[in-house]
Amino acid sequence: MKKKIISKALCVALASVLMFGEAAPAMAATKSLDQGQAVVAEDTFSASIDGIEAGNSATVTDNHVGISAWGSGTSAKLYVNGVEFESRKTSYGYWDINTDFYGKAGVTYTFKLEAEGSDGSTVTKTFNRKFETPVFDKSTTRGWWNSEIDETGYSKYASLYVNTEFLSRVSAKYDYYVYRSTNPKTGFKKISSNTVYGGTNCYNYDYNAAYGKTYYYQIKVVAEKDDYIKTTKVIATSPVIKVSADNWKNIYVNAELDHKGVKLNIEDRGIYNQFDIYRSASKNGGYKKIKTITGDEFTDTTVKAGKIYYYKVIPKYYETRTGKLVSGNTTAAVGVKVTMGTPVPIAQITSSTSVKLTWDKVRGANVYEIWYMQTDISGNQYSKLGVTKGNSYTVKGLKNGHLYRFMLKAQNVSNGKVVCENQNDTGRVIMGYDDNIYSLRATYISTAISKDKKTLAIYTNLAWDKNYWASGYVITAYNRYTGKEENVAKISSGTKNTYRFKNPGTSTKGMKYTYVRVRPYKGSVVSDTPIEINVNCMPFASGVKVSRKTNSSAVISWKAVPGASGYSVYRTNKQSGETQCRGNVTATKYEDKDYSVKTDYEYYVVAQSSFEGAWGNSHYIYEGNAKYFAKYQHKLAAPKMGSAKNTAAGQVKVKWYAVAGAQRYWVYRSTSKNGKYTKIASVATTSYVDKKAAKGGTYYYKVAAAAVSGAGVKAQSAYSAVAGAKSSK
């Protein structure tokens, strides 16, 4: 029999210290039989489970269940589905377990707690906890195709996307499998598996779904087998989701008159990248194709006033992975009656007594009448000022302090008679002081950097429309060092409408100013309606040039911008309209690639600064300024001819070298070196065997590289050199 050195009473006292923080008096457990010697008694503990806490419900809505249990004995173990999860041993006769168990959604776990005493007694208690089961919300089950912008700047079909949400958020971990088939009832195969640590939905991007096909998807939430789950269990199954890997079924076309003709706007174009436009004078027939475009706008300028035109559009998508051009549904016919265009006159005050009117050429007009009216006189009527065939007219001799309205009549005059006309006015024009100025703009930006590169200055040339009756202008700027707006300058003339603003900065504090405000004033009264503009923008790099480097790359170069820490190179695909940042460099040149044939690209370069508060530029002053933009079209190189040899009876084998970007090669043949060549083959390889070379004949060959742009537009290179061979076998 084992003996304990510590008596049972002392164990009780020690346990009291552990549980309550102080020792209870221990009763003597032995009598003194010999001087100074106590009898050592045997100490035994019975097993008990005095309490278990494991949440308030049998269903767990959290991602874990917290378990707290206590009792007496020498040890306790917690089992989950028969697998030991947690254990405790003690020599004091009391045990406790505090732990968290993280389960999987939809799974019921059996927890078994077993306590053991030193006297051989055991006590067990068992309870179940089920983690909340996900329930699919059928109304949210859906799918669609996705597009992406590829490296060449064209939008392309990329993947199919399916998604289904739960009725409520699931906090516990869950796994789900995605299955796919081309049949809604059979043939489903697992294409992906995913693990989510709490969420609201299941989704999948299928990048292997071929364009032009229809697929069916089903999602299953599962509990994968692990230490506590013996077999993988299906917890919830979504409805079957049908998704077609094609474009929108229909596109929409709006047709309206503008000053140039009938303007067509294609909406919801999806990833269609070609549009065949058909026109007819009858809604029900007679349509002829007038144009194929790769953008989503087209203006038909060949229309005539007084007629009705009907338009239909057939959308097409060129799929680069298959090389196929797929047509979509033809749009419904839209009709437009061509009438005289509406003039849009713009009035600009050019002096205290004159206004210049400008307008765009109006469809169907060959002459313009200018009328005016002083609107601050009651009952006043329009009076005719003049006639012009141009698109501008200056009105002089106006009175200071009065209000005017100008009207432009666009007319079609034939044999001295007005056939038709349309008119529009400018709205009210104040020939006097008002407390506004208009069109504050940056006209030029430059920079200067110190030799030690610790100070930077950004100079912004500002301009605004003159307020001829103002006493002048007050210029203020927001100081980012102080967080306050401060006075910068006062211009004492209403006709001086420019100012060169210097924004200084240091490498430690950054740029001093953020924006500038300009207000007119008259006398001592300053307007409280300012107009503002940023003055912390770095300039675009000027002198942008693009030159071909290899058959697959080009080099973009530009002039250095003082104070620039680096440059961002941007390229716009002029066919698709997409702009992409091609790279960031510290040098003043960049080698680019990934071009699509027969596509116009345009480059510009944004200077960046390491000075805090200095931005890359976004001012519109650069639009259309050739100094800051460079156009480029990367053309296919002509193949380098290898050889032409008579290799067998009636055969000539032609070989050439590959061209970067070429998708096919067109082979041409002639019986005379300088004669007429006929296309005899289109191949994807770099050789071709002509099996129609009659014995005794001499044949000449040349080859052109061919490719199709991202929008499906065909391109051909120049011809290779000519190679000839005599068929003597």
Side-chain angles (χ1 to χ4, degrees), residues 42-192:
E42 181 181 302
D43 192 10
T44 59
F45 305 110
S46 296
S48 70
I49 299 175
D50 298 335
I52 298 176
E53 293 180 357
N56 299 319
S57 173
T59 300
V60 181
T61 58
D62 203 346
N63 65 343
H64 71 282
V65 56
I67 300 173
S68 179
W70 61 93
S72 62
T74 55
S75 66
K77 293 182 180 180
L78 178 66
Y79 296 87
V80 180
N81 287 354
V83 179
E84 183 178 318
F85 177 71
E86 195 81 28
S87 65
R88 292 287 188 274
K89 290 184 178 181
T90 179
S91 59
Y92 300 120
Y94 292 90
W95 58 264
D96 67 271
I97 290 178
N98 288 285
T99 188
D100 291 326
F101 177 78
Y102 290 82
K104 294 182 178 181
V107 178
T108 299
Y109 293 90
T110 299
F111 295 87
K112 178 182 177 183
L113 184 63
E114 183 179 275
E116 183 177 343
S118 61
D119 60 359
S121 62
T122 60
V123 178
T124 61
K125 286 190 177 181
T126 303
F127 60 92
N128 294 330
R129 291 293 182 267
K130 182 179 181 179
F131 284 79
E132 186 178 18
T133 300
V135 178
F136 284 115
D137 182 355
K138 295 181 180 180
S139 66
T140 65
T141 300
R142 59 196 182 277
W144 56 81
W145 59 264
N146 288 287
S147 64
E148 64 184 10
I149 304 301
D150 68 11
E151 295 84 354
T152 68
Y154 283 104
S155 177
K156 297 296 178 188
Y157 160 77
S159 66
L160 288 185
Y161 174 79
V162 290
N163 176 77
T164 182
E165 298 179 7
F166 303 133
L167 288 175
S168 60
R169 176 179 174 81
V170 175
S171 298
K173 173 184 174 182
Y174 60 92
D175 306 292
Y176 65 89
Y177 298 159
V178 180
Y179 297 82
R180 187 186 73 186
S181 175
T182 55
N183 187 307
K185 296 182 180 180
T186 62
F188 283 90
K189 294 182 179 180
K190 186 170 73 173
I191 61 172
S192 74

Side-chain angles (χ1 to χ4, degrees), residues 263-297:
K263 184 177 182 179
L264 303 180
N265 288 286
I266 298 169
E267 299 180 359
D268 294 333
R269 64 176 289 177
I271 54 173
Y272 288 124
N273 46 31
Q274 274 194 43
F275 302 94
D276 289 342
I277 299 174
Y278 291 79
R279 187 182 74 182
S280 175
S282 170
K283 183 177 181 179
N284 299 320
Y287 288 89
K288 293 183 179 180
K289 186 168 75 171
I290 60 172
K291 189 75 173 179
T292 296
I293 63 173
T294 55
D296 52 13
E297 290 185 356

Side-chain angles (χ1 to χ4, degrees), residues 568-583:
S568 298
V569 181
Y570 288 88
R571 186 180 79 184
T572 300
N573 181 321
K574 302 297 286 184
Q575 269 66 52
S576 68
E578 294 291 339
T579 297
Q580 297 169 301
C581 181
R582 301 298 299 169

Side-chain angles (χ1 to χ4, degrees), residues 231 245 295 317 340 417 425 436 507 510 571 597:
T231 58
Y317 172 60
M340 174 67 67
K417 295 182 178 181
D425 64 45
N436 291 284
S507 57
R571 186 180 79 184
V597 296

Side-chain angles (χ1 to χ4, degrees), residues 671-693:
T671 54
S672 171
K673 184 175 183 179
N674 298 317
K676 182 179 179 181
Y677 283 80
T678 302
K679 181 179 175 182
I680 59 172
S682 173
V683 296
T685 58
T686 55
S687 65
Y688 174 72
V689 177
D690 179 10
K691 297 181 180 180
K692 295 183 179 181

